[in-house]
Amino acid sequence: MIKRRYILTITELAKLKNITSETLRYYDRIGLLKPDHISESGHRYYSIRQYERLGTILELKEIGMSLKEIEEYFDNRNLHKSFAMLKEFQEKFEADLQEKIQLNEVLKHKLQFLQSLSELPEMNVVFEKDYPIRHMITFGKESGDREEHAMAFTRLENYINEKIPIIASDRVGVLADERLLLPGDDLIPAVPMLLVAPKNAEEPYLQKIAAGKYVCMYYRNGILEKYDSSFEIIKGYIRDKGYHINGRILQIYKIDVTLTSDPAETVLEIQIPVE
């Protein structure tokens, strides 16, 4: 007869380690932690000494080891092997942690951008802004329809070395010529682009956007590569100021489908270089 004070039932051991009895049955089936004794009626009993092995198993799972790797950890174990495996997983954990820290910084920046949206100038009001040289990536090919447009942005997203580059950003846009300002219901062929920091993209697709004066305006419920009736306001402003358009026009989403499903909430900015 087994001395009761030296053994634990499967339920008792599971309760001690805050796991389920089924977890212990599974460990038994795969040979990771077999009961010290099984009665004729099939009841599993564990030695109190097995509590330490179970604790090691659960802690190794906590640091990310698979059950197969845990089996390897216990196989012909010695100090050198244990140290090597733990060091490997510590280095992996640290790499994952650094990646999460970087992602957290990106999310904080995006939240700051979203908070700034409450301070956007009034819609359909023209303003001027002097921009320094900016950078973009673009494949330089006009998109002729919505499918080509979507494919171009998918390729651009995959090209840049960033985490979550699109959601909650003001960098998705197109470069268009003056056809964009002509009334019409059709899409105007334009070149998809993403504004980037130079370090996040390389040649040959990294290009500069010229510095200079831009006449700008925010407007709602617009579509990239398409004329909007509010453009008549900015065209009138340019005429009244005696400006001439001296480069490609930028259309940039400020609030897009990554943030809302309501078309009335979308906001675009048009930036027209002038002299």
Side-chain angles (χ1 to χ4, degrees):
M1 176 179 285
I2 302 174
K3 293 182 179 180
R4 174 69 185 170
R5 64 193 179 95
Y6 293 129
I7 63 169
L8 298 167
T9 66
I10 188 171
T11 302
E12 289 171 334
L13 182 59
K15 186 176 181 180
L16 276 175
K17 295 304 293 181
N18 295 316
I19 59 175
T20 65
S21 298
E22 180 53 39
T23 297
L24 289 173
R25 292 189 184 94
Y26 180 69
Y27 290 170
D28 179 13
R29 289 196 295 272
I30 66 175
L32 187 58
L33 182 67
K34 302 195 74 66
D36 194 54
H37 173 75
I38 299 179
S39 69
E40 292 182 0
S41 59
H43 291 97
R44 293 169 169 84
Y45 295 95
Y46 294 84
S47 164
I48 190 61
R49 295 186 303 275
Q50 292 179 288
Y51 180 88
E52 293 180 357
R53 181 180 174 100
L54 177 59
T56 302
I57 292 169
L58 296 177
E59 290 186 17
L60 293 176
K61 279 187 63 182
E62 189 69 23
I63 67 172
M65 281 194 191
S66 67
L67 292 180
K68 183 177 181 181
E69 288 165 328
I70 293 172
E71 287 184 68
E72 181 185 345
Y73 180 86
F74 282 108
D75 185 32
N76 296 319
R77 192 162 41 137
N78 58 57
L79 183 60
H80 175 76
K81 178 183 177 183
S82 297
F83 175 82
M85 290 191 72
L86 290 173
K87 187 174 188 299
E88 177 185 350
F89 275 84
Q90 184 276 325
E91 291 172 348
K92 178 182 177 183
F93 178 83
E94 185 170 2
D96 291 343
L97 180 61
Q98 290 301 320
E99 185 173 330
K100 286 181 171 60
I101 289 173
Q102 293 174 12
L103 185 57
N104 183 54
E105 290 302 313
V106 172
L107 286 171
K108 285 166 61 177
H109 178 76
K110 288 178 179 291
L111 287 170
Q112 289 172 355
F113 164 69
L114 290 178
Q115 201 166 28
S116 73
L117 294 181
S118 62
E119 302 170 1
L120 282 177
E122 189 177 348
M123 297 296 110
N124 301 333
V125 174
V126 180
F127 60 97
E128 298 182 15
K129 186 167 182 178
D130 290 317
Y131 277 102
I133 290 176
R134 292 174 285 175
H135 293 82
M136 64 178 174
I137 58 166
T138 177
F139 300 127
K141 180 181 178 182
E142 291 182 341
S143 60
D145 55 38
R146 305 312 296 172
E147 286 72 23
E148 286 185 9
H149 174 100
M151 178 60 72
F153 279 114
T154 299
R155 291 178 59 210
L156 288 170
E157 291 169 30
N158 291 335
Y159 178 75
I160 58 178
N161 183 28
E162 293 183 36
K163 299 287 185 182
I164 54 172
I166 300 304
I167 188 171
S169 66
D170 56 346
R171 62 195 313 185
V172 177
V174 295
L175 296 169
D177 57 32
E178 294 184 43
R179 288 176 293 174
L180 182 67
L181 303 177
L182 299 178
D185 294 325
D186 296 331
L187 293 177
I188 307 301
V191 179
M193 62 87 186
L194 291 178
L195 296 172
V196 295
K199 64 180 180 180
N200 293 331
E202 299 176 356
E203 300 288 357
Y205 305 120
L206 180 65
Q207 295 185 25
K208 293 180 180 179
I209 299 174
K213 183 186 297 293
Y214 285 77
V215 174
C216 311
M217 185 182 71
Y218 295 101
Y219 60 103
R220 291 195 182 277
N221 200 18
I223 298 174
L224 287 181
E225 303 175 295
K226 192 169 185 180
Y227 168 83
D228 187 89
S229 60
S230 66
F231 292 173
E232 296 305 314
I233 299 172
I234 199 168
K235 287 161 62 177
Y237 181 94
I238 291 172
R239 283 195 305 269
D240 292 344
K241 287 285 187 175
Y243 288 148
H244 300 282
I245 298 174
N246 69 340
R248 289 187 292 182
I249 299 167
L250 283 78
Q251 255 185 319
I252 301 171
Y253 266 119
K254 307 296 285 190
I255 301 176
D256 63 8
V257 293
T258 67
L259 294 171
T260 181
S261 297
D262 183 357
E265 289 187 332
T266 61
V267 174
L268 282 86
E269 180 182 3
I270 183 170
Q271 300 177 1
I272 303 176
V274 296
E275 60 181 1

